[in-house]
Amino acid sequence: MPIPGDMLKSGWGVLRLRPWHLAGVFTSSVDAESLAHNLGPDYVIKYGEHAPGSSDFSFTDTASAPRT
């Protein structure tokens, strides 16, 4: 089953680190925060790169938002 934002290459990822679960990728941090809140305290949001059509999502802890 596809996740929200399945075809985005970058954005705000909603994820659980252990065990790994990518719940969605969003262009808006507000939308990502809403999903993370609904899923519970194990889920965080991170800005990063997503491999479209997969659960691969990479991020760095030092960068919390994209540079514009």
Side-chain angles (χ1 to χ4, degrees):
M1 175 187 287
I3 61 170
D6 193 42
M7 299 312 292
L8 291 175
K9 292 184 179 180
S10 64
W12 294 97
V14 177
L15 49 112
R16 180 180 62 207
L17 299 174
R18 288 200 174 92
W20 177 260
H21 178 235
L22 179 63
V25 181
F26 299 88
T27 57
S28 163
S29 63
V30 173
D31 293 338
E33 289 170 3
S34 176
L35 179 59
H37 176 76
N38 289 337
L39 293 174
D42 291 340
Y43 285 83
V44 297
I45 62 168
K46 301 282 186 179
Y47 191 86
E49 301 296 319
H50 174 241
S54 77
S55 65
D56 294 342
F57 187 81
S58 60
F59 62 91
T60 59
D61 282 332
T62 57
S64 59
R67 300 239 185 249
T68 56

